[in-house]
Amino acid sequence: ELLEEKSSLRNLKDVLKTEREAALLAVQIDGMMLQELPDSFRDNEDIVFHSVLQNHAALRHASKRLQADDIFSKIAGVRCLLDEIANAGKEQTIPSAGLMVARD
């Protein structure tokens, strides 16, 4: 009976690991997929990190705890700035940073 319980726990760990890996892959492809994940994943630093790294707006779907974390706010800010730079035309002001960027 104890062996059976250990086997069941091992299987549960494998399932949870697979679900976590699938969630991580999903947010790396589309950060906004975070909003579709269970609360436990929305409070997982690794999953939220990759989600926000892919799309700064995904932070609004993270747990309140991670939304309040300065590190995640800074990552979202940098991602937003990089997106604005990538989308800026030749010599255009980037509103969130007040920067002037000249592109060749």
Side-chain angles (χ1 to χ4, degrees):
E1 198 172 296
L2 184 60
L3 277 164
E4 193 174 300
E5 284 181 27
K6 283 185 177 182
S7 178
S8 293
L9 284 174
R10 195 173 308 115
N11 289 339
L12 179 59
K13 285 181 183 178
D14 289 343
V15 167
L16 292 175
K17 181 180 177 186
T18 301
E19 287 178 358
R20 184 189 169 287
E21 289 170 353
L24 189 55
L25 180 60
V27 299
Q28 286 174 332
I29 293 168
D30 179 1
M32 295 304 285
M33 286 299 297
L34 185 64
Q35 65 188 320
E36 305 298 330
L37 298 178
D39 291 344
S40 61
F41 289 143
R42 296 165 89 173
D43 191 52
N44 179 289
E45 286 96 349
D46 196 31
I47 290 173
V48 171
F49 170 79
H50 286 283
S51 179
V52 173
L53 196 60
Q54 199 283 324
N55 185 326
H56 71 276
L59 183 58
R60 73 180 86 148
H61 301 294
S63 68
K64 297 291 182 196
R65 177 181 75 87
L66 295 182
Q67 286 180 25
D69 189 311
D70 285 344
I71 298 290
F72 288 97
S73 295
K74 288 176 182 173
I75 292 167
V78 169
R79 177 76 258 171
C80 180
L81 181 59
L82 291 172
D83 290 344
E84 288 180 1
I85 290 170
N87 294 324
K90 289 190 175 246
E91 215 164 347
Q92 183 177 357
T93 301
I94 300 171
S96 67
L99 296 175
M100 184 68 84
V101 176
R103 298 184 43 147
D104 296 333

